Structure formats: structure tokens, C-alpha cells
Amino acid sequence: MRKFWLVFSHEYARHVLRKRFLFAILSMPLFVVVIIVIGFLSVFIQYNGKPVGYVDALPVFAAPQMPPENDSSTPPVAFLAYPDEAAATAALKQKEIQSYFVIPADYIETGNIRLVSLQSTAVNVTDAVRNFLRYNLIQTQPSDVVNRLTQGTEVILRAADNSQSMSENDWMSFALPLLAGILFVIAVNTSGGYLLQAVVEEKENRTMEIIITSVSPDQLMAGKVLADLCVGLTQLFSWLLFVLLGILVAGRFLPFALNISIAPGFVALMVATLLPAFVLVAALMAIAGAMTTDSREAQQVAGLLTLPIFIPYWFTTPLLSNPNSPLAIGLSLFPLTAPVALPLRASVAQIPVWQNVLAVSLLTLFAAAALWLAARVFRMGMLQYGKRLEWREIFSRNSGRV
Amino acid sequence: MATIEVENISKRFGTQIAVDDVTFSVEPGEIFGLLGPNGAGKTTSLRIILDIFKPDSGTVAILGGTMSEDKKDRIGYLPEERGLYQDIQLESGLTYMATLKGLSKPEASRRVSAYLERFDLGEARKKKIKELSKGMQQKAQLIVTLVHQPELIIIDEPFSALDPVNTQMVKDLLREERNNGKAIIMCTHQMHQVEALCDRLVLIHKGKVMLYGKLEEIQRMYAAHEVIVRTLVDLPTDLAGVERVEQENSTAHLQLAPGTSAQSVLRELVERKIPVEQFEIAMPTLDEIFIQVVQGQGESA
């Protein structure tokens, strides 16, 4: 047992203290930050905060009201009234305004306005003009009607048995499981990749022969797989920490980001599928490493093994639109697709308990079987330098007598 | 009690017989040579002894019984193909390997440090193993083999990549271990090292045992009926019982007729007052015996 922990701590430290691991941990949030920064930059580059003028032929705009500020991250554009087009054109030429629009007398009938600008119009202007017009056109309505029309309608989807509901305004609560699933898939692949690499390296540089005369293959494999699990979890929790930090930071600018709620049952389901899934993938990676002859070939085989994990993402739409279809149930029960399919369904539907129990049990059973097979393949394949281990050798009657 | 008892082990890979009914034993306090040409079955035999492979038939008793996890801590193994983690520092890599052999971390650290100094690797302790020369890596590998003071040492080509100074140091170390009662199995192609170190040996060819026994006995068994004589004058051509003389500078190889003893030739040289500087029974080198056996001219022991 002591050697199991020795292998575990050595393997864990070996991967976690490597530069490439730190890079892998930091690269994901850095990538997300860069994407967000580029998004904001593109908005700011296209944003023009100068006032917009207007020439109004309708009486309703005699005393225009500014629409209430929304959750937008950019400040609102001011609207300046001009008595006629000549005055508006003069202001435009003097760059007091970025553009002006003319509301003709037949606007109510036609819905047409004319926008005049010296250069291309900023993206935010057309939206601001529409809001301005819409808001002022309804000012004759009672204030509660104005408020409702301005704030829009929130559609809340609710299951027939009231067991599950989802608001379209609460979209982050739905998006987070998707994000967590993606992070899980990346983490399980990355850490599994480390394990695969370690096994192939030990085989290639012959360390295996020394190790195996010190530790039993079972202890070695269990120590490696548990270390891999912890490496993956370290990576995953680091990313989740970044996500939480990101939400807290984003909450200062985008208040809706703080309204995310995740049910404890959902978290429990994620954990129950995540842990055996990690072990399953790690064991499959170890099998790939022990069976193949070099790291390149191992990577190719590993790619094939982890491909099924991504399958639920290809079926996101049917899974979400019909979460209790046979396809959805099938993907939730198949061990390699369950880690993503099950939480995805759980985010929009109430999954029967028996399906959850069966899915997690199957996953755990397959993980245990894969671990057993990994130790067997490992023992057989570790010393077959340059020679590929065949499946029929693994399952042959005498395979125990390596 | 023998440290290793190998009895009639056989191992087949597919249609190829790697080891065929091999039997030998290794005693405490001896260096035992496991010899054979490439592909003879030496490494497979070692892996069977170490329980990496299971034999198809036959038995192996090691340190008084079948292999167990505890016994792994009492064995030091240096495989032919060197195996060390390349990307970690020398000292921490060796310490980890030593802890896998049952040493506590402080004890492993202390012993590794002492061995690094002894092997003149002290200044490289913080270097990554991949940055070391082949010779230095070989010494590091030897430290891994010996650091836990095993009762049984199995070493495959221990002198490869070592310079003469380090070769001598390793030879002294192996003799020291033998004198401390350790059993040592040594695989090597360097026959002069076997002659210098081994007490007994087994020679395997095509999976079968071709020679087995004490080094000296095997040499005598393969000795031709010849004596080597070095004199200050030319040897007479009419020595009784001598069929042929091959002269090389001052040394002559005398092939004796059947029934002629070396003692009778020496007596005649003394009686004829020929100044003899050297007289010895010609023993074949292990190289010669090896070639003779492997080329199919030897007899099964």
C-alpha cells in the first residue's frame, strides 16, 4: 500500500509541477479572457458616443423622453432635436453630432426614417434610434404598459409535474452545465494524455522494467490512475475557480451574471459521473499506452478512444429539445457519453432516478473493468518494446502467463 | 541454501522457444555469469527469475521460495536496456527509485547522496538525467541497483559505457558485494570481465544450457593438450611426446602427443638444461570457449 502512495505522489507531482501543466491550466482562462477582451474591443471600436440629432415632424416628439438605461456595458447615446435639416446638417459638419435622422410626417404609416451621416453609422446608433423611437411612441400609454413593453416578457419553461423550470433570462444557469461539460472533457483528455504519455515514455525509455521489479503492476496502475484523476481534478477545479472569479468580476459590469443558480442535485450528479468517467478514460489511456509501440501511435489511438465523449455535443439540439427521447436515454447510459449527456439532460429535464442510478452504476462498472483490463494489458505490453500487443493476446486463455 | 534455484524452466513465445529446459542455481557470496549470444534466452531467463514473465514449465525459487512483493525489496536489478526517468533531477529520481525499494525517504536520500559522491556524481545531483552522459547514466543506474543493499544483485552488461577507471571501480564494488555474502548474477558479452570476476557460469545458446559449472573447470574441460613455454633459447625440435611446436617470438605452443603429460615435458626441459622462463598448461580463453560452443563445436555440459 505504501508503494501505491509513493507511485501516486510521484506521478501527481511529476505532472503538476511541470511547466506544460501550468501552461495548460493558465491557457484556458487566458484564452477566454483574450476572447472577451477582443469582444469588448470590437464593441468599443465600433461604438460612437457622440450625440445623434433628429429632425421631427411628429408632435409626439415635441417633448422627447430618453429611454431608461438597460444592462448594456456601453453608455447610452444622447439625442438632440433640431428644428430643420439645415440646422442638423450644420451641426453634423461641425462634428457636434455623429449623424441625424429625419422623421417624416408619414412615419406612423410607413415606418420609414432617413438617417444622414458623413461616414458609416456606428452599430450602436441604429439600435439606439429604434429604442428612442419605440419608447417615445408609447409614451401616450399608461406607465405600467410602457414599463411592460420596455422590459419585454420573460418566458419560463416549466415541466408538467412542476419538477423542473427554466427562465430564458436565467440562461447562464443553463449554459454553465454546458461549459462545465466542455471543461470536463478537456480536463479528462488532457490529464489522460499525460498518463498516456507517461506510460509510453516509461515503455520507450525502459524505466518500466526497473519499476515493475519494485512495485506490482496493480499498485503501479492504481497509483498512476489515481494520480491522473487528481491531476485532472486539479485542472478542472482550477478552471472552475477561474470561472467563478470571472463571474464575480463580470457581475460588476453585467449584474445578470450573478443570478446564476445551480441545484445541489445537479452538482451531485456531475460529481457522481465525473469521478468514474475520469478513471474510465485514464484506464483507456493506459491501455492505449501499453498496447502501442510509440507515442505518436498512442496519441492516435487515444484520439479514437476519447471521440465518443464528444458525441453528446453533436446531438445538443435533439438532447435539449427532447431530453427523454430514446437517443437521449441511450447516450446517458452509454459509459463514454454519459458524463456529458446526463448533466446536459439534467439541466433541462427531470431524469428518472433509475436512469441516474443505472448510468452511474454502468459508468462505475466500466471504469472498474477498464482498470482491471489496463493492469492486464499493462503487464503484458510493458516489455514488448517495438512490438504491438494484439487484442487476441490479451484475451487468450494463457494471457495470465505473461 | 541457494539464493536462486532455477529448475527446468521453459518459455515459448508463439512458435519460438526462448528458454528450453534451463536449470542452474546461484549461491550466496558468488558472482555467477549468465552468458550467451544475442537472442540466446538470457534476458527471458532473468525476467522469469524476476517474475516479470511466468515460465510455461519449470520452477524458480528465489530467496527461499516463490517471488513475492516483499522480496522485490531484497533484489537489485540492472537491466540491459537502461531505464531512468529522463526529465527529473538525478538526485530526486534516484531517491524515488530507492523509496520504491522499501527505504524511507530520509534513508533513501542519505544513501543516494553517499553513492553520488562515491560514483563521482555529486556535482551532477541537480542535473536532469537526460543531461548526463551515457557513462554517468550507467553509474546512476548502478546506484539504483545497489542503494537498498540487496541480497541478490542481477546486472545485465554492467560495464557498458564505462571508462576503464569506472570499470575498475564497479569491479571492485561487485567483489566487495560478493565478499559481503551477496549473490550476483552478471550478464555480459565481455568475456575477460567474466574471467576476472565470475566464480561459476552458465552458457545458454538457443534457449538451452550449453555449459554450466565453475569457470576453472570449464576452461580445463575445453583445454587442448598443449603447454606454453617461454625460453631464452630456441627449443629443440626433438622433445619426446611433442607433436608440433608453434613458435611466436620467445613463446612456443607445444602440442603434446596422446599419453604425454605436461610434467614429463617440463622434466625433459630441465634435464636438458634449457633455461625456462615460463611454463604453463595452455587454457582456452572464455572467448574461445564461447565461440567454440556457439559455433556448434562444443559439447553440452
Side-chain angles (χ1 to χ4, degrees):
Chain A
M1 199 59 188
R2 179 181 166 271
K3 289 182 180 176
F4 160 77
W5 287 113
L6 279 170
V7 172
F8 165 76
S9 56
H10 172 77
E11 291 291 324
Y12 180 76
R14 189 173 158 217
H15 293 307
V16 167
L17 297 179
R18 273 189 183 178
K19 281 181 194 159
R20 71 176 183 187
F21 181 76
L22 290 176
F23 182 74
I25 280 197
L26 293 175
S27 61
M28 174 63 74
L30 269 176
F31 177 71
V32 173
V33 167
V34 167
I35 293 291
I36 291 171
V37 167
I38 289 173
F40 273 106
L41 271 178
S42 73
V43 168
F44 274 106
I45 286 168
Q46 294 176 56
Y47 173 76
N48 191 338
K50 270 189 181 175
V52 174
Y54 67 93
V55 180
D56 178 20
L58 279 178
V60 74
F61 286 97
Q65 304 275 316
M66 287 302 289
E69 285 187 28
N70 56 17
D71 289 340
S72 170
S73 54
T74 52
V77 174
F79 290 90
L80 303 176
Y82 290 92
D84 52 40
E85 254 197 278
T89 309
L92 183 64
K93 283 182 178 171
Q94 285 174 11
K95 298 187 176 170
E96 289 169 5
I97 52 175
Q98 57 169 305
S99 58
Y100 69 87
F101 59 96
V102 180
I103 307 168
D106 61 351
Y107 167 64
I108 300 295
E109 291 80 38
T110 64
N112 293 334
I113 59 164
R114 184 160 51 86
L115 192 66
V116 180
S117 178
L118 293 177
Q119 54 196 11
S120 63
T121 315
V123 175
N124 60 310
V125 169
T126 47
D127 285 345
V129 167
R130 279 198 192 96
N131 283 340
F132 177 75
L133 287 171
R134 195 178 295 136
Y135 186 70
N136 284 288
L137 280 170
I138 59 174
Q139 285 303 311
T140 53
Q141 302 294 319
S143 62
D144 53 345
V145 175
V146 171
N147 283 343
R148 181 49 45 231
L149 284 170
T150 311
Q151 290 169 11
T153 305
E154 182 179 4
V155 178
I156 298 172
L157 294 172
R158 195 179 295 279
D161 58 357
N162 277 340
S163 60
Q164 190 92 359
S165 68
M166 188 179 73
S167 162
E168 66 176 357
N169 287 351
D170 191 19
W171 61 272
M172 275 296 279
S173 302
F174 157 72
L176 209 62
L178 266 179
L179 179 68
I182 291 170
L183 290 182
F184 159 71
V185 170
I186 296 173
V188 80
N189 275 300
T190 316
S191 58
Y194 293 150
L195 177 68
L196 173 81
Q197 199 66 30
V199 171
V200 175
E201 267 176 27
E202 282 172 2
K203 205 171 147 183
E204 280 178 342
N205 69 22
R206 314 297 199 243
T207 315
M208 194 58 66
E209 200 158 344
I210 300 278
I211 301 286
I212 216 68
T213 51
S214 306
V215 191
S216 73
D218 295 341
Q219 281 181 321
L220 184 64
M221 182 50 68
K224 276 177 178 292
V225 169
L226 187 69
D228 174 66
L229 174 69
C230 291
V231 169
L233 290 179
T234 305
Q235 195 168 21
L236 197 58
F237 284 127
S238 305
W239 286 344
L240 288 177
L241 203 64
F242 280 117
V243 169
L244 288 176
L245 276 174
I247 289 170
L248 285 176
V249 172
R252 297 172 66 91
F253 305 102
L254 308 169
F256 69 88
L258 292 175
N259 296 332
I260 300 163
S261 60
I262 301 174
F266 179 81
V267 175
L269 185 66
M270 280 288 281
V271 173
T273 49
L274 185 143
L275 293 178
F278 255 113
V279 174
L280 176 63
V281 175
L284 290 177
M285 291 291 187
I287 291 170
M291 282 189 73
T292 48
T293 53
D294 58 50
S295 49
R296 189 180 299 175
E297 189 187 353
Q299 290 288 359
Q300 289 165 350
V301 175
L304 284 175
L305 284 173
T306 53
L307 202 62
I309 299 173
F310 291 97
I311 288 175
Y313 285 114
W314 301 341
F315 295 100
T316 305
T317 309
L319 268 176
L320 296 181
S321 58
N322 198 356
N324 288 317
S325 65
L327 171 73
I329 294 170
L331 288 175
S332 313
L333 295 180
F334 182 62
L336 278 175
T337 51
V340 170
L342 207 58
L344 210 57
R345 282 178 66 205
S347 67
V348 293
Q350 183 71 21
I351 303 176
V353 176
W354 71 266
Q355 285 185 24
N356 281 336
V357 171
L358 183 61
V360 173
S361 304
L362 278 174
L363 198 53
T364 310
L365 195 71
F366 269 73
L371 204 57
W372 171 82
L373 188 64
R376 188 181 176 93
V377 172
F378 193 65
R379 188 179 165 88
M380 295 177 73
M382 63 193 171
L383 298 175
Q384 298 210 4
Y385 309 130
K387 179 177 175 286
R388 192 177 292 104
L389 189 63
E390 303 292 339
W391 281 107
R392 59 184 163 81
E393 288 180 68
I394 299 165
F395 293 107
S396 71
R397 196 165 51 85
N398 293 321
S399 58
R401 303 179 67 84
V402 181
Chain B
M1 184 184 68
T3 307
I4 295 175
E5 290 271 12
V6 174
E7 281 186 28
N8 309 107
I9 58 166
S10 296
K11 181 73 183 173
R12 180 188 286 270
F13 294 108
T15 55
Q16 190 188 351
I17 300 172
V19 176
D20 189 2
D21 200 28
V22 167
T23 297
F24 62 85
S25 67
V26 183
E27 301 292 331
E30 75 168 345
I31 300 178
F32 184 85
L34 178 56
L35 313 179
N38 297 328
K42 303 188 295 293
T43 304
T44 304
S45 299
L46 287 184
R47 286 175 178 170
I48 291 172
I49 290 170
L50 288 163
D51 200 37
I52 296 172
F53 292 159
K54 304 278 184 204
D56 295 335
S57 60
T59 58
V60 174
I62 186 165
L63 296 165
T66 52
M67 178 64 110
S68 66
E69 287 304 311
D70 290 341
K71 282 182 184 170
K72 286 182 176 177
D73 293 349
R74 295 159 64 192
I75 301 167
Y77 177 42
L78 176 88
E80 183 182 8
E81 302 279 1
R82 307 294 171 245
L84 288 170
Y85 290 111
Q86 297 292 305
D87 263 333
I88 50 180
Q89 287 181 349
L90 174 64
E91 189 171 27
S92 56
L94 298 187
T95 304
Y96 170 61
M97 295 292 208
T99 55
L100 286 182
K101 283 293 186 183
L103 298 182
S104 66
K105 194 159 184 193
E107 179 63 11
S109 186
R110 192 186 63 75
R111 288 198 201 175
V112 165
S113 191
Y115 266 108
L116 285 173
E117 292 304 326
R118 181 169 183 181
F119 278 74
D120 203 20
L121 288 171
E123 287 179 8
R125 65 177 68 222
K126 297 295 174 198
K127 280 189 177 176
K128 284 189 175 177
I129 292 172
K130 67 180 177 188
E131 293 166 1
L132 304 179
S133 69
K134 275 188 177 178
M136 290 165 103
Q137 289 196 31
Q138 175 71 354
K139 287 196 281 185
Q141 196 85 57
L142 276 160
I143 293 175
V144 171
T145 311
L146 301 171
V147 68
H148 55 294
Q149 295 176 346
E151 291 165 51
L152 169 62
I153 299 164
I154 299 175
I155 44 176
D156 206 344
E157 294 295 347
F159 307 108
S160 69
L162 293 183
D163 59 35
V165 174
N166 284 308
T167 299
Q168 188 56 48
M169 184 193 67
V170 172
K171 282 165 75 172
D172 292 343
L173 198 66
L174 292 177
R175 287 191 183 109
E176 189 182 306
E177 295 290 338
R178 172 179 59 190
N179 296 340
N180 288 334
K182 311 288 174 65
I184 302 169
I185 298 187
M186 184 173 79
C187 273
T188 181
H189 287 114
Q190 297 180 33
M191 292 302 146
H192 61 286
Q193 303 294 11
V194 177
E195 284 171 351
L197 286 169
C198 289
D199 303 295
R200 293 191 308 132
L201 62 87
V202 63
L203 194 153
I204 300 175
H205 183 44
K206 293 180 179 171
K208 286 180 180 293
V209 171
M210 306 302 287
L211 293 171
Y212 175 47
K214 285 186 176 171
L215 174 65
E216 205 180 291
E217 287 172 359
I218 289 171
Q219 282 178 314
R220 281 191 187 284
M221 198 164 68
Y222 278 82
H225 202 34
E226 273 185 14
V227 292
I228 298 168
V229 181
R230 192 150 65 89
T231 59
L232 295 174
V233 296
D234 287 344
L235 282 175
T237 55
D238 59 343
L239 286 168
V242 174
E243 287 185 339
R244 199 175 73 233
V245 176
E246 285 178 17
Q247 190 79 36
E248 285 178 24
N249 300 325
S250 60
T251 305
H253 284 252
L254 278 56
Q255 189 171 344
L256 309 185
T260 307
S261 69
Q263 282 72 21
S264 66
V265 177
L266 178 62
R267 197 181 308 119
E268 187 177 350
L269 288 172
V270 172
E271 285 169 356
R272 292 170 71 167
K273 298 195 185 327
I274 296 168
V276 176
E277 286 201 323
Q278 180 189 351
F279 186 94
E280 67 174 87
I281 295 167
M283 296 285 260
T285 64
L286 210 47
D287 260 328
E288 289 165 337
I289 298 173
F290 185 94
I291 292 166
Q292 198 177 338
V293 170
V294 167
Q295 286 180 344
Q297 293 160 5
E299 293 170 20
S300 181

